[in-house]
């Protein structure tokens, strides 16, 4: 076992112990403690890094590795240092202790995504210790604030320090590269090549305020409630983007089930809990999440609001908003709380071929397939605006019975130690040979 494989678990534990909870309102500890772990472990082997705070405590660490062929475009390898909060009372272990138990590292961030942060460190430290250089320039970035939209991380850096990413045309980050075991002779590794767009929308209705005992045919609460019911109850049709169609075709082939476009459920049934990652990528979605109106039980308010979490498929944004506007009704308007583009790239090219080769070299049973995720990552919007083609690739060979999807933002989040060691081997091969 290489030194990188031996140390990756300890690096992951150390990062988990640096509480970097992101509450989304600026009240958390920030990423500085975790960023200091990264910088210290880089400096320990003689790697210089740049530390940038967008706000006090909101830390980002970047280092660039020069390749042997300066004519090749650069690759960005990035992870985020922040994690979602954890309520210790709900956990079997202290979520920030980084406890190693039964072959797993337990703790907040174990899979989202201090596992990749640690793998990046382990591989980079090996390169430096052994004098290894990749073929192309590589930018390694450990970023702040991904869990709250990247304002203090990717957004800040791309807007204020775009030179850090000079020459970068492709990137790898979360959420992809993990395995789904069909049988001992075949494991599918899902590589993220697409992400749904995001539209958090505030619905607003203005009406006539008045006494609750009187007749009122201009009630803002009624108008918003009707709009919420129409939007929340809308039956969005099945829609197959190129990525989703390829994914379903590959899964159907692997499990030996037919692909019926009118009923994809038999295919989705094969992937178990991972359906939480991909089930919502077969259609646009709109889920009402908040309601607001009034201040007294007998007063009809002059305004009522609601918030809807909308997600649209790549290539269907215009159609999505046209449908939404038709469902609102004449007395309700929409405003953006947050709006992100949808993203889709093709499953081809030298980087994809290198990812496939690295996976098969470490797992002969590997078959890589593309998939679309219903959420979003730092690959979207900010790096896409720089023309960077992003992939989700955190290589992990997982136990067949592991409910990997539930680990993300879940209670008792954990990652197998041997999956981290596998990831180091794959990442090492990919970065040296690409």
């Amino acid at each position: 076992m290489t030194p990188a494989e031996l140390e990756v678990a300890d690096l992951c534990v150390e990062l988990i112990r640096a509480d970097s909870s992101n509450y989304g309102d600026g009240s958390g500890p920030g990423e500085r403690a975790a960023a200091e772990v990264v910088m210290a472990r880089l400096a320990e082997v003689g790697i210089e890094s740049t530390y940038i705070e967008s706000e006090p405590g909101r830390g980002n660490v970047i280092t660039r590795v020069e390749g042997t062929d300066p004519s090749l475009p650069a690759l960005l390898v990035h992870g985020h240092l922040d994690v979602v909060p954890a309520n210790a009372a709900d956990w079997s272990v202290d979520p920030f202790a980084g406890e190693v138990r039964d072959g797993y590292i337990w703790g907040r961030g174990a899979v989202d995504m201090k596992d990749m942060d640690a793998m990046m460190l382990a591989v980079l430290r090996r390169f430096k210790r052994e004098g290894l250089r990749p073929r192309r320039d590589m930018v390694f970035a450990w970023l702040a604030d991904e869990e709250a939209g990247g304002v203090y991380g990717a957004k800040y850096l791309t807007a204020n320090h775009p030179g850090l990413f000079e020459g970068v045309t492709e990137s790898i980050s979360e959420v992809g590269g993990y395995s789904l075991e069909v049988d001992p002779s075949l494991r599918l590794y899902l590589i993220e090549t697409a992400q749904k767009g995001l539209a958090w929308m505030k619905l607003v209705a203005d009406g006539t305020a008045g006494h609750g005992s009187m007749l009122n045919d201009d009630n803002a609460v009624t108008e918003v409630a009707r709009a919420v019911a129409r939007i929340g109850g809308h039956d969005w049709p099945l829609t197959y983007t190129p990525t989703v169609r390829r994914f379903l075709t590959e899964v159907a082939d692997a499990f030996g089930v037919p692909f019926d476009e009118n009923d994809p459920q038999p295919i989705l049934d094969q992937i178990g809990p991972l359906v939480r990652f991909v089930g919502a990528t077969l259609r646009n979605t709109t889920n009402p999440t908040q309601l607001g109106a009034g201040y007294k039980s007998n007063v009809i308010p002059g305004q009522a609001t609601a918030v809807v979490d909308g997600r649209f498929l790549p290539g269907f944004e215009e159609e999505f908003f046209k449908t939404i506007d038709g469902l609102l009704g004449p007395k309700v308007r929409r405003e953006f709380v947050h709006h992100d583009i949808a993203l889709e790239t093709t499953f081809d090219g030298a980087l994809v071929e290198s990812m496939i080769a690295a996976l098969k070299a470490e797992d002969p049973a590997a078959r890589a397939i593309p998939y679309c995720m219903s959420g979003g990552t730092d690959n979207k919007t900010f790096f896409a605006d720089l023309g960077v083609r992003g992939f989700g690739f955190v290589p992990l060979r997982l136990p067949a019975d592991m409910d990997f999807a539930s680990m993300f933002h879940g209670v008792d989040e954990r990652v197998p130690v041997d999956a981290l060691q596998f990831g180091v081997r794959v990442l090492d091969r990919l970065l040296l040979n690409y």
Side-chain angles (χ1 to χ4, degrees), residues 347-381:
F347 192 59
D348 56 18
L351 178 55
V352 170
E353 291 172 3
S354 294
M355 288 190 284
I356 294 171
L359 285 169
K360 289 192 71 67
E362 295 299 332
D363 182 4
R367 181 197 295 180
I369 64 173
Y371 88 103
C372 175
M373 68 176 296
S374 56
T377 73
D378 279 336
N379 268 336
K380 190 164 60 179
T381 307

Coordinates of all heavy atoms in Angstrom, one line a residue, residues 347-381:
F347 N -20.6 12.7 -22.9 CA -19.8 11.7 -22.2 C -18.8 11.1 -23.2 O -18.8 10.0 -23.7 CB -20.7 10.5 -21.7 CG -20.0 9.6 -20.8 CD1 -19.5 10.0 -19.6 CD2 -20.0 8.2 -21.1 CE1 -18.9 9.2 -18.7 CE2 -19.4 7.3 -20.2 CZ -18.8 7.8 -19.0
D348 N -17.8 12.0 -23.5 CA -16.8 11.6 -24.5 C -15.6 12.5 -24.3 O -15.6 13.4 -23.4 CB -17.3 11.7 -25.9 CG -17.8 13.1 -26.3 OD1 -17.5 14.1 -25.6 OD2 -18.6 13.2 -27.3
G349 N -14.5 12.3 -25.0 CA -13.3 13.1 -24.9 C -12.2 12.4 -24.1 O -12.4 11.4 -23.5
A350 N -11.1 13.0 -24.1 CA -9.9 12.4 -23.5 C -10.0 12.3 -22.0 O -9.5 11.3 -21.4 CB -8.6 13.2 -23.9
L351 N -10.6 13.3 -21.4 CA -10.8 13.2 -19.9 C -11.7 12.0 -19.5 O -11.4 11.3 -18.6 CB -11.3 14.5 -19.4 CG -11.6 14.5 -17.8 CD1 -10.3 14.2 -17.0 CD2 -12.1 15.9 -17.4
V352 N -12.8 11.9 -20.2 CA -13.7 10.7 -20.0 C -13.0 9.4 -20.2 O -13.1 8.5 -19.4 CB -15.0 10.8 -20.8 CG1 -15.8 9.5 -20.7 CG2 -15.8 12.0 -20.4
E353 N -12.2 9.3 -21.3 CA -11.5 8.1 -21.6 C -10.5 7.8 -20.5 O -10.3 6.6 -20.1 CB -10.8 8.2 -22.9 CG -11.8 8.2 -24.1 CD -11.0 8.6 -25.4 OE1 -9.8 8.7 -25.4 OE2 -11.7 8.7 -26.5
S354 N -9.8 8.8 -19.9 CA -8.9 8.7 -18.9 C -9.6 8.2 -17.6 O -9.0 7.4 -16.8 CB -8.1 10.0 -18.6 OG -7.3 10.3 -19.7
M355 N -10.7 8.8 -17.3 CA -11.5 8.3 -16.1 C -11.8 6.9 -16.2 O -11.7 6.1 -15.2 CB -12.7 9.2 -15.9 CG -12.4 10.6 -15.4 SD -13.9 11.6 -14.9 CE -14.6 12.0 -16.5
I356 N -12.3 6.5 -17.4 CA -12.7 5.1 -17.6 C -11.5 4.2 -17.4 O -11.6 3.1 -16.7 CB -13.4 4.9 -19.0 CG1 -14.7 5.7 -19.0 CG2 -13.6 3.4 -19.3 CD1 -15.3 5.7 -20.4
A357 N -10.4 4.5 -18.0 CA -9.2 3.7 -17.9 C -8.7 3.6 -16.5 O -8.3 2.5 -16.1 CB -8.1 4.3 -18.8
A358 N -8.7 4.7 -15.7 CA -8.3 4.6 -14.4 C -9.2 3.8 -13.5 O -8.7 3.0 -12.7 CB -8.2 6.1 -13.8
L359 N -10.5 3.8 -13.7 CA -11.4 3.0 -13.0 C -11.2 1.5 -13.3 O -11.1 0.6 -12.4 CB -12.8 3.3 -13.3 CG -13.4 4.6 -12.7 CD1 -14.7 5.0 -13.3 CD2 -13.6 4.5 -11.2
K360 N -11.0 1.2 -14.6 CA -10.9 -0.2 -15.0 C -9.5 -0.8 -14.5 O -9.4 -2.0 -14.3 CB -11.1 -0.4 -16.5 CG -12.5 -0.2 -17.0 CD -12.7 -0.6 -18.4 CE -12.7 -2.1 -18.6 NZ -13.8 -2.8 -17.9
A361 N -8.5 0.0 -14.5 CA -7.2 -0.4 -14.0 C -7.3 -0.9 -12.5 O -6.6 -1.8 -12.1 CB -6.2 0.7 -14.2
E362 N -8.1 -0.3 -11.7 CA -8.2 -0.6 -10.3 C -9.4 -1.5 -10.0 O -9.4 -2.2 -9.0 CB -8.4 0.7 -9.5 CG -7.2 1.6 -9.5 CD -5.9 0.9 -9.0 OE1 -6.1 0.0 -8.1 OE2 -4.8 1.3 -9.4
D363 N -10.4 -1.6 -11.0 CA -11.5 -2.5 -10.8 C -11.9 -3.0 -12.2 O -12.6 -2.4 -12.9 CB -12.7 -1.7 -10.2 CG -13.9 -2.6 -10.0 OD1 -13.8 -3.9 -10.2 OD2 -15.0 -2.1 -9.5
P364 N -11.4 -4.2 -12.5 CA -11.7 -4.8 -13.9 C -13.2 -4.9 -14.1 O -13.7 -5.1 -15.3 CB -11.0 -6.1 -13.8 CG -9.9 -6.0 -12.8 CD -10.5 -5.0 -11.8
A365 N -14.0 -4.9 -13.0 CA -15.5 -5.1 -13.2 C -16.2 -3.8 -13.5 O -17.4 -3.7 -13.5 CB -16.1 -5.8 -12.0
A366 N -15.4 -2.7 -13.6 CA -16.0 -1.4 -13.7 C -16.6 -1.1 -15.1 O -16.0 -1.5 -16.1 CB -15.0 -0.3 -13.4
R367 N -17.8 -0.5 -15.1 CA -18.3 0.1 -16.4 C -18.8 1.5 -16.0 O -19.7 1.7 -15.2 CB -19.5 -0.7 -16.9 CG -20.0 -0.1 -18.2 CD -21.4 -0.7 -18.6 NE -21.4 -2.1 -18.9 CZ -22.5 -2.8 -19.2 NH1 -23.7 -2.2 -19.3 NH2 -22.4 -4.1 -19.4
A368 N -18.2 2.5 -16.6 CA -18.6 3.9 -16.3 C -19.7 4.3 -17.2 O -19.8 4.0 -18.4 CB -17.4 4.8 -16.6
I369 N -20.7 5.0 -16.6 CA -21.9 5.5 -17.3 C -22.1 6.9 -16.8 O -21.9 7.3 -15.7 CB -23.1 4.6 -17.1 CG1 -23.6 4.6 -15.6 CG2 -22.8 3.2 -17.5 CD1 -24.9 3.9 -15.4
P370 N -22.7 7.8 -17.7 CA -23.0 9.1 -17.3 C -24.4 9.2 -16.6 O -25.2 8.3 -16.8 CB -23.1 9.9 -18.7 CG -23.6 8.8 -19.6 CD -23.0 7.5 -19.1
Y371 N -24.5 10.2 -15.8 CA -25.9 10.5 -15.2 C -26.0 12.0 -14.9 O -25.1 12.7 -14.9 CB -26.0 9.7 -13.9 CG -25.6 10.3 -12.6 CD1 -26.5 10.9 -11.7 CD2 -24.2 10.4 -12.3 CE1 -26.0 11.5 -10.6 CE2 -23.8 10.9 -11.1 CZ -24.7 11.5 -10.3 OH -24.3 12.1 -9.1
C372 N -27.3 12.3 -14.8 CA -27.7 13.7 -14.4 C -28.1 13.7 -13.0 O -28.8 12.8 -12.5 CB -28.8 14.2 -15.3 SG -29.5 15.8 -14.9
M373 N -27.6 14.8 -12.2 CA -28.0 14.9 -10.8 C -29.1 16.0 -10.7 O -29.1 17.0 -11.5 CB -26.8 15.1 -9.9 CG -26.1 16.4 -10.0 SD -24.8 16.6 -8.8 CE -25.8 16.7 -7.3
S374 N -30.0 15.8 -9.7 CA -31.1 16.8 -9.6 C -30.6 18.0 -8.8 O -31.3 19.0 -8.9 CB -32.3 16.1 -8.9 OG -31.9 15.6 -7.6
G375 N -29.5 17.9 -8.1 CA -29.0 19.1 -7.4 C -28.0 19.8 -8.2 O -27.9 19.7 -9.4
G376 N -27.1 20.6 -7.5 CA -26.1 21.3 -8.2 C -24.8 21.4 -7.4 O -24.8 21.2 -6.2
T377 N -23.7 21.7 -8.1 CA -22.4 21.8 -7.4 C -21.7 23.1 -7.9 O -22.2 23.8 -8.8 CB -21.5 20.6 -7.7 OG1 -21.1 20.7 -9.1 CG2 -22.3 19.3 -7.5
D378 N -20.5 23.3 -7.4 CA -19.7 24.4 -7.9 C -19.3 24.3 -9.3 O -18.9 25.3 -9.9 CB -18.4 24.6 -7.0 CG -18.7 25.3 -5.7 OD1 -19.7 26.0 -5.6 OD2 -17.9 25.0 -4.7
N379 N -19.4 23.1 -9.9 CA -19.1 23.0 -11.4 C -20.1 23.9 -12.2 O -19.7 24.3 -13.3 CB -19.3 21.5 -11.8 CG -18.0 20.8 -11.7 OD1 -16.9 21.4 -11.8 ND2 -18.0 19.5 -11.6
K380 N -21.3 24.1 -11.6 CA -22.3 24.8 -12.4 C -22.1 26.3 -12.1 O -21.6 26.8 -11.1 CB -23.7 24.3 -11.9 CG -24.8 24.8 -12.7 CD -26.1 24.1 -12.5 CE -26.6 24.1 -11.1 NZ -27.8 23.4 -10.9
T381 N -22.6 27.1 -13.1 CA -22.7 28.5 -13.1 C -21.3 29.2 -13.0 O -20.8 29.7 -14.0 CB -23.5 29.0 -11.9 OG1 -24.7 28.4 -11.9 CG2 -23.7 30.5 -11.9

